[in-house]
Amino acid sequence: MTVMKGALPSVIEAIGSTPIVQLQNVSKGVHADIYAKCEHMNPGGSVKDRIGPNIIQTAEREGLLKPGGTIIEATSGNTGLGLAMVAALRGYKCIFVMADKQSEEKRNALRAAGAEVVICPTNVEPEDPRSYYSVANRLAEETPNSFYASQYYNPANPEAHYVGTGPEIWEQCGEEMDALVLSIGTGGTVSGISKYLKERRPEIQIIGVDPIGSIYHDLFYTGEMPPAHSYFVEGIGEDFLPGTIDMKSMDDVVQVTDQECFTMARRLNREEGLFVGGSSGAAVAGALKYAEKFAHKFEGRRPNIVTIMCDNHNRYLSKIFNDAWMTENGFDL
């Protein structure tokens, strides 16, 4: 089958090549230039589009995913959509297991993509049989001809960013970039990008952003696993240590509150025209904190700090961008 000039053979080839734009308003008064890599412009609406093809293609190559099979995954929503995009083209079924803190928009988006969605309680330990990790494992064991994508332990996750996102950022920024600040979830994005960039320029600072309640900040500073507690922002932070994160890939970890994540997300929408969600707000809030604390180290010049816009705002219209929800949950508008 031939493809018309200027067209792509499928939506998968539209993943990546996202632009980097300079922030104009939210960073005023900070002695740094802040840039945003617009991963929310991927066809599925998030940075997780990057890992879907690599996870599925690797599983096919290794004989783990066979024709007519079912892809099973524990997801906050975005990885599920990245997998569902590829599954739609290749004829796979999908079952996605989500915690009940995730937005209704994400659940509906996965169902619209043809997936079965299973909802589990948020406030249980990862080892609890009711947790979305445990339920996904059980479904993978019980479902014939299934493949558990396992983004938290699958090396194809960070590999996708080592071969894709990292080289893109280097091509766009090269040695002009001083730091990359990004929210961390499974750790695949930060680990893969950091590995690539550090091989090219070890001085580039890689800064993780972690919501209060997650384990990464305290683990980074103490080397010990702290207790986790619940928080509202979706898709980032963890209550256990995934196999896909290399803690040494980061030079520092900055903490942010839910309020900071949500306030900045709303500002990015209103002041920058970047229609992004709470994890993107976290990244920019973290970048401003990092700049305020460390910009003086860059020999008197304004450092160039790049952030990652993780996903788009339409997954949070009933929550972050709903004034009533914000007020009901104790957040300032």
Side-chain angles (χ1 to χ4, degrees):
M1 182 174 64
T2 60
V3 179
M4 186 173 63
K5 178 183 178 182
L8 298 171
S10 79
V11 70
I12 295 173
E13 283 73 25
I15 297 170
S17 299
T18 56
I20 293 178
V21 301
Q22 186 173 14
L23 301 186
Q24 299 294 319
N25 296 310
V26 301
S27 58
K28 284 181 178 177
V30 176
H31 189 71
D33 291 320
I34 312 293
Y35 297 83
K37 183 160 176 62
C38 299
E39 288 295 289
H40 66 295
M41 294 184 179
N42 277 308
S46 87
V47 66
K48 294 294 190 176
D49 287 4
R50 303 260 187 181
I51 69 174
N54 201 47
I55 286 176
I56 289 177
Q57 290 164 9
T58 300
E60 290 172 337
R61 188 168 58 248
E62 295 177 354
L64 301 174
L65 181 56
K66 299 177 177 63
T70 299
I71 298 168
I72 296 172
E73 181 60 318
T75 176
S76 298
N78 289 330
T79 296
L81 283 166
L83 292 166
M85 189 189 313
V86 185
L89 289 166
R90 303 202 179 190
Y92 300 120
K93 293 172 284 189
C94 295
I95 302 174
F96 297 127
V97 186
M98 304 177 70
D100 57 14
K101 71 177 273 187
Q102 312 306 335
S103 70
E104 191 65 32
E105 290 92 335
K106 287 182 179 177
R107 303 180 198 184
N108 290 338
L110 292 173
R111 292 184 180 114
E116 178 184 344
V117 178
V118 178
I119 305 299
C120 301
T122 298
N123 294 323
V124 295
E125 296 296 322
E127 300 80 13
D128 190 296
R130 298 168 295 167
S131 77
Y132 79 125
Y133 315 109
S134 298
V135 171
N137 267 308
R138 176 176 59 77
L139 289 173
E141 292 172 356
E142 295 175 354
T143 305
N145 192 22
S146 67
F147 163 67
Y148 185 20
S150 189
Q151 61 175 316
Y152 295 95
Y153 294 97
N154 193 329
N157 173 357
E159 181 187 56
H161 297 291
Y162 178 76
V163 301
T165 326
E168 260 184 46
I169 293 174
W170 180 253
E171 182 179 350
Q172 290 168 306
C173 303
E175 298 196 3
E176 293 184 81
M177 179 173 60
D178 296 295
L180 176 71
V181 181
L182 67 167
S183 304
I184 42 178
T186 68
T189 307
V190 68
S191 300
I193 295 175
S194 177
K195 181 180 179 183
Y196 186 89
L197 293 180
K198 292 282 191 180
E199 288 174 355
R200 270 77 196 159
R201 185 167 176 254
E203 312 92 79
I204 291 176
Q205 296 294 289
I206 307 295
I207 313 301
V209 180
D210 194 36
I212 290 176
S214 171
I215 64 166
Y216 289 130
H217 177 269
D218 290 355
L219 180 61
F220 180 86
Y221 275 97
T222 69
E224 298 179 2
M225 185 71 71
H229 60 80
S230 62
Y231 48 89
F232 283 89
V233 66
E234 298 181 28
I236 58 173
E238 289 301 343
D239 54 1
F240 72 104
L241 185 64
T244 43
I245 189 167
D246 175 8
M247 294 297 293
K248 294 180 181 178
S249 67
M250 296 174 286
D251 297 288
D252 201 355
V253 178
V254 176
Q255 272 189 319
V256 290
T257 66
D258 283 321
Q259 180 72 63
E260 289 170 327
C261 297
F262 298 161
T263 297
M264 184 55 69
R266 289 165 70 104
R267 289 190 65 193
L268 289 167
N269 278 258
R270 295 174 178 178
E271 299 177 36
E272 302 287 352
L274 289 170
F275 302 137
V276 295
S279 53
S280 301
V284 174
L288 297 183
K289 285 187 173 184
Y290 171 76
E292 289 169 358
K293 187 176 180 181
F294 294 108
H296 66 279
K297 292 187 175 182
F298 293 94
E299 302 173 352
R301 62 182 177 82
R302 293 175 65 86
N304 293 316
I305 300 175
V306 177
T307 63
I308 302 275
M309 301 294 95
C310 306
D311 67 359
N312 64 45
H313 70 167
N314 62 18
R315 286 159 198 181
Y316 312 98
L317 297 180
S318 65
K319 300 179 84 173
I320 302 171
F321 301 102
N322 181 320
D323 289 356
W325 183 89
M326 289 283 286
T327 301
E328 289 165 6
N329 288 281
F331 297 115
D332 297 330
L333 298 178

